[in-house]
Amino acid sequence: MKIKITLIVILLFSLAIKAQDRKLDSTAITSSIHTYIENFFENNFEAMNSSLHPRLAKRGFNPDGSLSEDFPPGKLKELMATKPKFELRHQQNTIDILGVFGNMASARLRTGYPNQRWTEYIHLLKEDGQWKIINVFWEFSPKNN
């Protein structure tokens, strides 16, 4: 009987640790995405880049439906040097974690400017204990949404 109780306690303890790990991962994933989008809008490349994997692939559909050019980190830096700043207090960023498996995760980010909103699907990987964004694909929302 003592062995059964000990096994149950160990099982419950390991489940509690696993749930704690998932919560920590969810918090870190959300934080990485916030770092990316908030600093993108504020034109702070160095802070944004801390959440990006060096092999980032970012692209999406232009408003006319054509596929955009690729935006690796260096190209994002160029873009951010020319676009207007959009302060954090005006941003409306919503993040939904869609799934986590091992060292990979998927999330949906709803974001944009007041007159132009879009959704980004984001893939992240956990490398050296940190969640980094490796893939972003976006599509603009219809104007009436």
Side-chain angles (χ1 to χ4, degrees):
M1 186 65 168
K2 286 183 181 181
I3 293 174
K4 286 182 182 178
I5 292 173
T6 303
L7 289 174
I8 290 171
V9 167
I10 291 171
L11 177 64
L12 290 174
F13 184 70
S14 65
L15 289 174
I17 289 173
K18 193 74 165 168
Q20 178 74 16
D21 287 347
R22 275 189 242 132
K23 182 163 177 40
L24 289 172
D25 278 337
S26 293
T27 300
I29 290 164
T30 300
S31 177
S32 182
I33 295 170
H34 274 293
T35 297
Y36 151 68
I37 195 63
E38 291 171 3
N39 287 292
F40 171 78
F41 282 132
E42 292 189 332
N43 296 340
N44 186 345
F45 176 77
E46 296 307 320
M48 180 193 72
N49 197 44
S50 71
S51 68
L52 304 179
H53 190 276
R55 294 183 57 191
L56 171 75
K58 179 178 166 89
R59 67 189 57 85
F61 289 116
N62 293 314
D64 67 3
S66 64
L67 191 59
S68 76
E69 61 183 294
D70 291 350
F71 287 94
K75 190 103 172 173
L76 280 173
K77 185 175 185 176
E78 291 173 18
L79 171 68
M80 292 167 69
T82 63
K83 70 175 196 56
K85 226 176 163 179
F86 187 52
E87 294 180 14
L88 180 61
R89 63 189 170 107
H90 299 299
Q91 295 180 31
Q92 294 178 0
N93 304 313
T94 304
I95 299 167
D96 299 304
I97 296 174
L98 304 176
V100 179
F101 179 81
N103 293 312
M104 61 182 177
S106 292
R108 178 179 51 225
L109 168 64
R110 293 184 186 113
T111 190
Y113 298 104
N115 295 322
Q116 184 66 66
R117 304 285 298 163
W118 62 87
T119 297
E120 297 186 1
Y121 281 86
I122 299 174
H123 296 114
L124 303 95
L125 65 89
K126 190 175 188 179
E127 191 172 66
D128 298 325
Q130 293 187 325
W131 285 98
K132 300 286 186 170
I133 298 169
I134 193 158
N135 186 51
V136 177
F137 195 83
W138 79 85
E139 183 168 0
F140 287 95
S141 303
K143 286 288 187 182
N144 55 2
N145 287 354

